[in-house]
Amino acid sequence: MADASLPGAGGGGAAAAPVTPGPAKGPGAGPRRSIMGTPPWVAALFLLPALVLLGALVVYPIVFTVHRSLYDADGSGFVGLKNFGTVFTDHGILTAVRNNAIWVVVAPTVATALGLVFAVLTERVRWGTAFKLIVFMPMAISMLAAGIIFRLVYDQDPSRGVANAVVVAVHDTFTSNAAYPGARPRPNSDLAPTAGGSYTSKSTASVGTPDDLPLVGIPQNKVPAGAQQAKPAATSPDAVTGTVWLDFRPGGTGKPGVIDPGEKALSGVKVQAVKDGKVVASAKSGKDGTYRLPASAAGAQLRLPASNFAEKYNGINWLGPNLVTPSIIASYIWMWAGFAMVLIAAGLAGVPRELLEQARVDGANEWHVFRRITVPLLAPVLVVVMVTLMINVLKIFDLVYIIAPGQTQENANVLALQLYLSSFGGGNNQGVGSAIGVILLLLVLPVMIVNIRRLRREGRR
């Protein structure tokens, strides 16, 4: 019986003509197309403008910088690797390298840690969104504007600098200021300078005779508004007495060492009686300038301690040689902690809540949940933030250039700023500047490679 599935089976029994297979379509048999059906030359044509811009704005500057780093200051003579030797032997450039290392270690770590803390804490409060908005707001400010802001914040004068205004307010709350900063005894008087900024009498005190202590060196506008007329101290057979006053009156008509009309009393001045280097009695002058010591002070020298004359506390020198780099890093963290917080908060939103709740049910406290579950799950996001900030701080320039004063700019120097200074800011040596640029490129490349590999691994998941 004929199989109906065979050609020619049934109906007339005529044998069907054999089917000749067509030519096999192998590679190159027709026009080559991509998986989307677009010829490669069309894709290349669309990519050409981007490739031209990439070559003009990225590839050519890199190649030219590497080439320029091998020539001298004016580019006329080939010097090989001499410019790189200068980079690693010049004291100022080595300071920039050290500061860059501090920046790379401290700034990304602290900014990421703060961002993590902010993101976790604000997730549990009702006003978390408003807090995130406030913390992120500095990102809307340019580096130039932030530098100007913090240059004022760190101003040494407490009346202008916010940081020192706070420090001085706290200091003055717990420590009293000197009564009369800058005051001193009249020249050739009985009081002589002694160790530590104090003044001690040459003669010894006695009862029955006033031991007056005249001072000068206080501007009239620094004398308290309510200062009274100085009065001679009353004598006493059982006490050492005297007057502390400003031995000067407007017009200069007063007599030295004599309490003249119009000369003001200096209240609140501490007077000590010293015998054999030990303080045996002390007192403070009253509103009329007089003081009173017990009879045991007789035979002792009178000393006005340095605490009476110390200059007013003006806070911390934030932009001094020792603190200028930490201060600038603090301003950077103020700007970029919000960036870290937003990225980490986005990653935190994807953390399965079931894991957190299960850990709490199993008896884990909040610290264990944070350390053992939240942080490990956020590790990819934390790496992204850290890598981004590390690349960013390697190129930091604006904040350092604006915030650091001229006298301490060398102490706050970083490689990007040194590149500018060497090439255009007075150094006029573009060979060394190009060498610094090449070194910055080499420092950034490993971080970029790690980031690219991480992105590829995540793309394969």
Side-chain angles (χ1 to χ4, degrees):
M1 184 172 65
D3 190 349
S5 63
L6 296 175
V19 178
T20 304
K25 293 184 178 182
R32 186 177 181 182
R33 293 177 179 273
S34 68
I35 191 171
M36 300 298 295
T38 304
W41 68 269
V42 175
L45 189 63
F46 276 96
L47 287 174
L48 185 61
L51 293 175
V52 171
L53 288 175
L54 185 67
L57 300 179
V58 178
V59 178
Y60 172 74
I62 292 175
V63 173
F64 179 79
T65 301
V66 174
H67 176 267
R68 184 67 180 83
S69 68
L70 304 176
Y71 285 80
D72 58 9
D74 58 5
S76 60
F78 181 80
V79 295
L81 300 178
K82 183 179 178 181
N83 290 325
F84 293 91
T86 302
V87 170
F88 291 106
T89 55
D90 183 86
H91 174 72
I93 301 179
L94 288 177
T95 301
V97 173
R98 182 200 66 192
N99 288 339
N100 257 107
I102 295 173
W103 271 89
V104 169
V105 172
V106 176
T109 304
V110 177
T112 304
L114 284 177
L116 176 61
V117 172
F118 291 157
V120 172
L121 293 182
T122 54
E123 195 181 41
R124 292 174 169 269
V125 295
R126 296 179 59 185
W127 41 268
T129 303
F131 180 81
K132 290 177 182 177
L133 179 63
I134 294 172
V135 175
F136 187 74
M137 197 174 295
M139 284 295 299
I141 303 175
S142 68
M143 286 280 194
L144 174 64
I148 295 173
I149 291 171
F150 275 90
R151 182 65 181 268
L152 293 174
V153 168
Y154 292 134
D155 196 287
Q156 181 68 42
D157 186 356
S159 64
R160 299 178 59 191
V162 176
N164 269 339
V166 174
V167 171
V168 169
V170 174
H171 175 273
D172 291 350
T173 301
F174 298 98
T175 305
S176 58
N177 286 318
Y180 299 99
R184 64 185 185 278
R186 181 178 287 279
N188 302 319
S189 69
D190 189 48
L191 290 171
T194 48
S198 61
Y199 296 95
T200 306
S201 64
K202 301 173 187 176
S203 61
T204 57
S206 60
V207 297
T209 303
D211 290 285
D212 293 332
L213 303 172
L215 297 177
V216 294
I218 305 174
Q220 289 294 317
N221 58 355
K222 299 296 182 182
V223 178
Q228 299 180 6
Q229 164 70 38
K231 294 182 179 180
T235 60
S236 174
D238 57 353
V240 173
T241 61
T243 303
V244 185
W245 83 101
L246 178 61
D247 193 13
F248 175 85
R249 68 177 181 178
T253 57
K255 191 174 181 180
V258 177
I259 302 175
D260 297 305
E263 293 182 342
K264 300 297 183 179
L266 300 180
S267 62
V269 176
K270 190 173 183 179
V271 181
Q272 296 175 335
V274 181
K275 285 184 179 180
D276 301 324
K278 296 182 179 180
V279 178
V280 297
S282 65
K284 281 191 176 182
S285 57
K287 292 183 178 180
D288 58 358
T290 60
Y291 67 90
R292 183 184 180 91
L293 292 168
S296 59
Q301 293 176 293
L302 299 180
R303 182 171 69 187
L304 300 179
S307 58
N308 291 314
F309 315 114
E311 292 295 332
K312 184 179 180 182
Y313 181 69
N314 284 322
I316 300 171
N317 188 8
W318 298 103
L319 300 181
N322 297 324
L323 291 178
V324 61
T325 294
S327 298
I328 299 174
I329 291 177
S331 66
Y332 177 88
I333 293 171
W334 175 78
M335 291 190 65
W336 286 86
F339 167 82
M341 179 195 65
V342 169
L343 289 187
I344 295 171
L348 191 61
V351 174
R353 301 302 173 197
E354 298 81 5
L355 293 176
L356 305 181
E357 295 302 327
Q358 184 61 47
R360 295 187 181 101
V361 170
D362 291 342
N365 57 33
E366 292 301 323
W367 168 246
H368 287 129
V369 172
F370 174 77
R371 186 165 62 92
R372 299 292 181 85
I373 298 177
T374 304
V375 173
L377 290 176
L378 288 176
V381 179
L382 298 178
V383 171
V384 170
V385 175
M386 284 284 292
V387 170
T388 303
L389 294 181
M390 287 174 67
I391 295 174
N392 189 268
V393 298
L394 281 171
K395 304 179 295 179
I396 195 70
F397 167 81
D398 318 60
L399 286 178
V400 180
Y401 185 70
I402 297 168
I403 295 178
Q407 62 269 25
T408 59
Q409 192 177 80
E410 183 178 353
N411 302 95
N413 200 9
V414 290
L415 284 174
L417 176 58
Q418 184 61 45
L419 188 156
Y420 167 77
L421 295 176
S422 297
S423 300
F424 314 107
N428 297 323
N429 191 336
Q430 295 187 7
V432 172
S434 299
I436 297 173
V438 173
I439 292 172
L440 273 176
L441 176 64
L442 295 177
L443 291 174
V444 171
L445 277 178
V447 183
M448 292 179 60
I449 292 172
V450 170
N451 204 26
I452 291 172
R453 287 182 176 179
R454 184 193 56 77
L455 291 174
R456 287 179 176 176
R457 284 198 302 269
E458 291 186 358
R460 289 195 293 266
R461 292 176 182 175

